Amino acid sequence: MLRISDLTIEYSSGGYVVRPISGLDLRADAGHLVLLLGASGSGKTSLLSVIAGLLTPASGSVQVGDTEVVGLSGSALTHHRRHGVGVVFQAFNLVPSLTAAENVQVPLRAAGWRARAARDRAAELIARVDLEDRAHHRPADLSGGQQQRVAIARALAHDPPVLLADEPTAHLDYLQVESVLRLLRDLADSGRLVIVATHDDRLKPLSDEVLDLTPSAETTGRAPTRQVLEAGEVLFAEGERGDRVYVVESGTIELARHRDDGTEELLTTVSDGGYFGELGPMLGLPRSATARAVDRAVVIGYSLRDFRDHLQPSSPGALLSEAADATEAWAENISQ
Amino acid sequence: MWLLSWRDLQYRRRRFAIAVVATGLVFAIALLLSGVSSSFTTEIDRSVAAFTADRWIIPVGAKGPFSNANAFSPSEVIDSVKGAKQVDAMVMNRLVLGSRDVIVFGTEINGIGPRATAGRNVHRAGEAVVDTSLGKAVGDDVTLGGTRFRVVGTTTGHTIFAGSPTAVISIDDARAIGFASQPLATSLLVRGAPQAVPSGYKAITNDTAVDDLERPLQKATGTIDFLRVLLWLIAVGIIGSIVYLTVLEQTRDFAVLKATGVTGRSIFRGLVVEAVIVAVAAAAVATVLALVLGPLMPMSVEISTGTYIALPVIAALAGMMSSLVGLRRALGVDPALAFG
């Protein structure tokens, strides 16, 4: 049903290249509910966008059924958006001027359905999400849960084999969450592939598969590793995921970031006794820079716990404060 | 996707109503200006035709019968004109009555010249046929150039120089007012096509006579045409602003629509439909306003049926042009924004 191979997603943000997904592989079959779990910025939404044909990845392959999504354009892309996938957005994103039923009709009318046929199909879908009595209300007159169910009905307009839901419970109270999740589970049980992106791991029991896009940093249990790097050798690349914090024993390591114009910006250099690479493991984020040896260098990689316990015993607050500053800067970058 | 356009118009009805009224006012002003400009032309055509002359004879140096300031003795000239059926002298005086200019034509009694459309023609000295725009009726007295005349007939729409009323009196009375009763004329009115005119004079057609009346108004009509173009641009600007504002507000909606398989062209077509509906509705408002305000204007406003019919067509074109401001933005919306 869905085959993703060696997928890398990049986009430009604040003049830098951001790579939330790097080398991802995924297989998911019809009738399954797959949970994409991850913190903000981990690439969940980007992955959904690529599957939906709304974002072009840097490399890799995404196959929905027999259709290779990467590289689609023109009418083939429109066909994929209409018939290949249905998308449920986090903020519902219903057109405010249209009633619930009309919102469901839009994809059908856009695909050339006659008005009466589109009305009948919309009524059928509205009934399926139990909103017959709210069919002729505008979104502003509907609760969050009702809007989300209308959004699901709209996503099902062309009966797509894959349903993508981005944080479908983010704006809902617990009563509304229950009905929306039950609906998504039912849709999967009826033979559809449902992919739900969320940061809420409480949804795990509902799913058949979980893809965690934020690997938890291994905090203990791995011994420090000593690595010798020759001049120019890359220790880790921007966008990769890693669970090690590095201390430079000798030599110099440069940290550089790719700009969106293809050039590289040197952020800093770290020499004997200095450390780097703590933010990725701490925040569950991909590496935000590439670490490369300037000359022959020796580095020791620690787990986050070992690094905190043994190397910074007197100043854990300083490390967290530094991490908080960096997180803020990173979030600002992402939001630009 | 009529549904989207129609619902959006309903949803933002107050904004669109304001746009319709504002654009309607602009269209109405453009329409009224067209009427004023048109009235210049039609009043000239009508007034020149009212003389029922085939040719006019004026001194060679003169531009036309209505601007000629060099009076001449007509008797010798009339005798020298060959091949014409009838040649009559005419005197034109530009007088002031109260605060208004009145153009007074002295013509031969029962000769060539404008005829009364109500009452009767001038039969003797001391009588006048005046245009109704002067505000006089048959039986009233009117003082022209210090002489009192009895109104025996009226004309309608016989004005020149952008609304100045005309009056017809006997040529002797006109000579008494303008030339101390000397037997002079400012032009000759001719029936038929003269084969020869005496040296120092020329025969001109009605078209040249029309040109003579249009010349003083050229700057005015040019200015009006310029203002009309500006008004059309303002109307396009108003509708364009509304469309652009709508596009800005609907960026997320457009992204969602694209994500659900609606094409950019479909979205743009919806914008065109909205802009055209606003423009045509504004044209309807403008038509009503022009019909109401036209008669209240101090100047003559003559809007032809053709202009009323053309207005919604031009308005629709203006609406289409206006929607172009949203084209790039609507087509360029990134569907991935739907996730944002």
Side-chain angles (χ1 to χ4, degrees), chain A residues 45 48-49 52 54-55 78 81-82 87-91 93-98 102 105-107 109-110 138 154 166, chain B residues 1-4 7-8 10-13 250 252-253 256-263 266 334-340:
Chain A
T45 301
L48 292 188
S49 300
L54 307 181
L55 184 67
T78 301
R81 289 175 183 172
R82 284 176 183 167
V87 186
V88 180
F89 302 99
Q90 178 178 347
N93 288 356
L94 300 177
V95 179
S97 59
L98 303 178
E102 287 167 346
Q105 287 176 42
V106 165
R109 298 291 293 275
R138 282 183 174 155
R154 179 178 62 187
D166 185 29
Chain B
M1 297 294 282
W2 279 88
L3 179 67
L4 275 171
R7 287 286 185 254
D8 190 53
Q10 289 178 318
Y11 188 66
R12 296 171 217 277
R13 56 186 172 277
Q250 290 189 289
R252 174 70 67 88
D253 292 344
V256 173
L257 292 172
K258 282 187 174 181
T260 54
V262 179
T263 60
S266 249
D334 182 356
L337 281 177
F339 279 109

Side-chain angles (χ1 to χ4, degrees), chain B residues 61-319:
Chain B
K63 292 282 186 187
F66 303 101
S67 59
N68 177 33
N70 299 321
F72 56 92
S73 175
S75 54
E76 289 174 14
V77 182
I78 290 172
D79 291 343
S80 304
V81 174
K82 305 295 181 194
K85 291 178 187 167
Q86 185 180 351
V87 183
D88 287 341
M90 184 189 86
V91 169
M92 177 181 142
N93 292 319
R94 191 165 183 158
L95 306 174
V96 176
L97 182 64
S99 60
R100 302 185 67 181
D101 281 6
V102 181
I103 313 303
V104 178
F105 297 106
T107 59
E108 300 285 356
I109 291 171
N110 296 324
I112 307 170
R115 293 284 180 265
T117 51
R120 61 170 176 81
N121 295 319
V122 173
H123 289 166
R124 59 185 68 86
E127 292 181 348
V129 171
V130 301
D131 191 73
T132 48
S133 61
L134 195 60
K136 300 288 183 185
V138 174
D140 289 349
D141 286 340
V142 61
T143 302
L144 301 169
T147 304
R148 177 172 289 191
F149 292 87
R150 170 61 54 89
V151 176
V152 296
T154 57
T155 56
T156 302
H158 288 189
T159 56
I160 57 174
F161 301 134
S164 295
T166 60
V168 181
I169 58 178
S170 72
I171 193 165
D172 291 338
D173 285 338
R175 284 168 174 159
I177 292 170
F179 304 120
S181 295
Q182 293 180 73
L184 298 175
T186 54
S187 63
L188 302 180
L189 300 167
V190 180
R191 287 256 169 81
Q195 290 156 357
V197 294
S199 171
Y201 294 87
K202 62 183 177 183
I204 62 167
T205 61
N206 281 331
D207 288 343
T208 310
V210 165
D211 291 344
D212 189 35
L213 281 174
E214 283 181 344
R215 198 180 326 104
L217 299 174
Q218 274 173 358
K219 283 187 178 174
T221 50
T223 304
I224 287 173
D225 289 343
F226 182 71
L227 287 173
R228 278 164 57 199
V229 172
L230 281 183
L231 287 167
W232 285 112
L233 290 177
I234 291 169
V236 168
I238 292 172
I239 302 172
S241 304
I242 295 294
V243 169
Y244 194 68
L245 202 58
T246 302
V247 172
L248 286 182
E249 282 184 357
Q250 290 189 289
T251 299
R252 174 70 67 88
D253 292 344
F254 291 162
V256 173
L257 292 172
K258 282 187 174 181
T260 54
V262 179
T263 60
R265 267 180 314 185
S266 249
I267 291 170
F268 177 61
R269 273 201 298 269
L271 289 176
V272 173
V273 167
E274 286 188 23
V276 168
I277 288 174
V278 169
V280 172
V285 170
T287 301
V288 173
L289 284 174
L291 287 170
V292 171
L293 298 177
L296 305 178
M297 298 274 283
M299 290 181 78
S300 172
V301 176
E302 296 180 23
I303 304 168
S304 67
T305 309
T307 304
Y308 281 121
I309 292 169
L311 179 65
V313 177
I314 296 170
L317 289 174

Side-chain angles (χ1 to χ4, degrees), chain A residues 15-17 238 256-266:
Chain A
Y16 295 105
V17 174
E238 186 180 344
R257 188 177 288 168
H258 284 97
R259 299 191 63 86
D260 57 7
D261 60 4
T263 61
E264 198 175 63
E265 180 185 350
L266 179 63

Side-chain angles (χ1 to χ4, degrees), chain A residues 110-327:
Chain A
W113 284 47
R114 292 196 172 278
R116 179 178 291 277
R119 270 201 303 272
D120 292 346
R121 171 70 175 153
E124 181 190 322
L125 289 166
I126 288 287
R128 184 165 180 184
V129 296
D130 290 330
L131 284 174
E132 294 102 316
D133 56 334
R134 311 294 284 171
H136 302 296
H137 288 73
R138 282 183 174 155
D141 300 323
L142 302 176
S143 70
Q146 289 170 334
Q147 288 187 58
Q148 194 61 294
R149 281 188 279 157
V150 174
I152 291 172
R154 179 178 62 187
L156 296 174
H158 290 293
D159 199 16
V162 178
L163 184 71
L164 308 173
D166 185 29
E167 302 280 6
T169 59
H171 296 292
L172 307 181
D173 60 42
Y174 70 95
L175 289 175
Q176 296 169 339
V177 165
E178 191 182 323
S179 66
V180 168
L181 290 181
R182 189 181 299 121
L183 183 57
L184 291 173
R185 182 66 255 181
D186 288 348
L187 290 169
D189 290 341
S190 61
R192 204 173 259 105
L193 171 60
V194 178
I195 300 177
V196 176
T198 183
H199 64 275
D200 188 350
D201 59 8
R202 290 175 303 174
L203 305 188
K204 274 183 178 177
L206 271 174
S207 65
D208 300 306
E209 297 167 47
V210 175
L211 176 64
D212 196 342
L213 294 173
T214 313
S216 57
E218 190 179 358
T219 55
T220 186
R222 284 180 61 185
T225 54
R226 190 167 184 275
Q227 277 179 268
V228 179
L229 303 169
E230 298 302 327
E233 191 176 343
V234 172
L235 175 61
F236 58 73
E238 186 180 344
E240 287 180 2
R241 295 184 182 275
D243 58 359
R244 306 253 103 182
V245 182
Y246 294 94
V247 174
V248 180
E249 189 178 279
S250 66
T252 304
I253 300 293
E254 67 176 17
L255 297 172
R257 188 177 288 168
H258 284 97
R259 299 191 63 86
D260 57 7
D261 60 4
T263 61
E264 198 175 63
E265 180 185 350
L266 179 63
L267 299 177
T268 188
T269 54
V270 186
S271 301
D272 301 7
Y275 66 86
F276 60 92
E278 73 282 10
L279 288 179
M282 182 176 291
L283 303 173
L285 295 171
R287 299 291 189 187
S288 60
T290 296
R292 186 188 297 115
V294 176
D295 47 21
R296 193 167 195 277
V298 178
V299 297
I300 303 185
Y302 294 94
S303 70
L304 190 58
R305 171 65 60 84
D306 289 344
F307 177 71
R308 279 181 186 162
D309 290 350
H310 304 299
L311 295 172
Q312 290 235 326
S314 60
S315 58
L319 181 61
L320 288 173
S321 164
E322 197 178 311
D325 290 346
T327 307

